[in-house]
Amino acid sequence: MNHFRPSLLHFSRIPAFGNYFNRNTSSISLSKDWNFASAKDAFVERAQKLRPVSLAAFSKPSRNATETKDVPLGYATLVPLCVISGVPGILFTLRSANLYKHRGEISLPGGRADKADKDLIETAVRETEEEIGFPRDRIQVWASLPAMPTRNSEGRVTSVVGFCGNVTAADFRPNPTEVAEIFFCSLDHLCRHNGFTTFRKRLTMPVFHTGKELDWRPIWGMTAVTIETVLKCLVPDRYPHRRLSISPTIRSEI
């Protein structure tokens, strides 16, 4: 069975995360000469100016971790930038229904750090290779984003942005115990189909949609926050939104 789909994935329903709506559907497309190579330096510069996320902004109160610095860094994900048939975008995974946590949700490849990992970059690329079978030596790491707290203050998640180059279905061998399918969303699609949701009546958080043909499936939670941060740094002219949210903010306008 081929678990890789270069276009958007159709899958069973999962609970929606609050109330959200479409916006920015009239935005212009990326220019035909836009490419990751020309955008890399500006992206890294903007990513280096991101401020850390406050633990209090998202997680439930914790007696033992009132500040972000008190929470151990234990998890990492990879944001796999890639090109499919000449179209730039990002790879996502649909988590297996057999997993204990977050089963059936859209996510980015990643997981808990091992003692053998020298840093969280190694954690991200190792977990990516284990989950979707993409060779770690083909991942060009661009930058690490500020760590974000987990939902229950159990640790922090660092997202590593990496470029995987031009890819096809033959490049992937997903682990069926962890990943049901792999799918791709273009940068244009993510910039056009997005909205927001309110969380605990005090936070504004991003939500992305998979498209009309897939009943506007939501990409939400920490995955959506990470994608919004990447888009703000990668294509700020296409994704210029500035609002109260738990996404890391840039210290000064570029």
Side-chain angles (χ1 to χ4, degrees):
M1 178 180 177
N2 183 7
H3 294 271
F4 176 80
R5 298 192 184 184
S7 59
L8 298 175
L9 170 72
H10 183 64
F11 50 89
S12 59
R13 291 182 175 274
I14 56 175
F17 188 69
N19 298 316
Y20 55 87
F21 64 89
N22 298 331
R23 67 156 187 243
N24 202 31
T25 55
S26 61
S27 63
I28 60 174
S29 300
L30 291 173
S31 63
K32 292 183 179 180
D33 58 351
W34 189 97
N35 59 73
F36 282 117
S38 62
K40 177 182 176 181
D41 290 344
F43 171 86
V44 173
E45 182 180 354
R46 293 186 182 101
Q48 290 173 343
K49 294 183 178 182
L50 292 172
R51 294 173 178 169
V53 178
S54 169
L55 182 70
F58 181 54
S59 300
K60 295 179 180 179
S62 173
R63 296 179 180 179
N64 299 321
T66 57
E67 299 292 337
T68 304
K69 64 182 181 180
D70 295 330
V71 182
L73 290 168
Y75 304 87
T77 63
L78 184 81
V79 182
L81 308 176
C82 67
V83 178
I84 294 181
S85 300
V87 179
I90 299 174
L91 291 173
F92 296 87
T93 64
L94 175 67
R95 290 173 61 85
S96 169
N98 298 321
L99 294 173
Y100 177 69
K101 292 184 177 181
H102 310 298
R103 56 182 176 270
E105 294 184 7
I106 297 174
S107 67
L108 297 166
R112 185 189 293 271
D114 283 349
K115 292 182 179 179
D117 295 339
K118 64 180 181 180
D119 53 31
L120 289 174
I121 291 177
E122 183 172 350
T123 300
V125 297
R126 173 185 56 76
E127 286 282 343
T128 297
E129 186 174 51
E130 291 176 0
E131 288 185 16
I132 65 176
F134 190 80
R136 69 180 75 184
D137 58 5
R138 288 183 56 186
I139 301 172
Q140 181 188 110
V141 174
W142 281 14
S144 296
L145 304 180
M148 290 189 291
T150 60
R151 201 175 298 173
N152 297 313
S153 306
E154 296 174 344
R156 290 191 294 171
V157 180
T158 296
S159 292
V160 176
V161 180
F163 180 56
C164 300
N166 291 277
V167 301
T168 66
D171 295 317
F172 301 93
R173 290 176 175 77
N175 180 349
T177 63
E178 297 187 64
V179 176
E181 294 199 52
I182 305 167
F183 68 103
F184 169 87
C185 281
S186 70
L187 297 183
D188 266 336
H189 181 92
L190 292 169
C191 288
R192 289 174 181 273
H193 302 296
N194 53 74
F196 77 87
T197 184
T198 53
F199 180 69
R200 295 177 186 162
K201 299 182 179 180
R202 61 190 177 93
L203 295 174
T204 301
M205 297 178 65
V207 178
F208 295 88
H209 308 282
T210 56
K212 182 179 180 179
E213 67 274 22
L214 300 181
D215 199 24
W216 302 104
R217 300 303 312 154
I219 301 172
W220 53 288
M222 188 171 292
T223 299
V225 172
T226 300
I227 296 305
E228 176 172 80
T229 303
V230 170
L231 293 176
K232 284 180 178 180
C233 293
L234 187 62
V235 285
D237 55 330
R238 291 275 286 107
Y239 196 89
H241 309 297
R242 294 289 184 270
R243 66 179 187 280
L244 176 64
S245 105
I246 69 164
S247 303
T249 56
I250 297 178
R251 293 191 182 97
S252 59
E253 295 299 323
I254 302 290

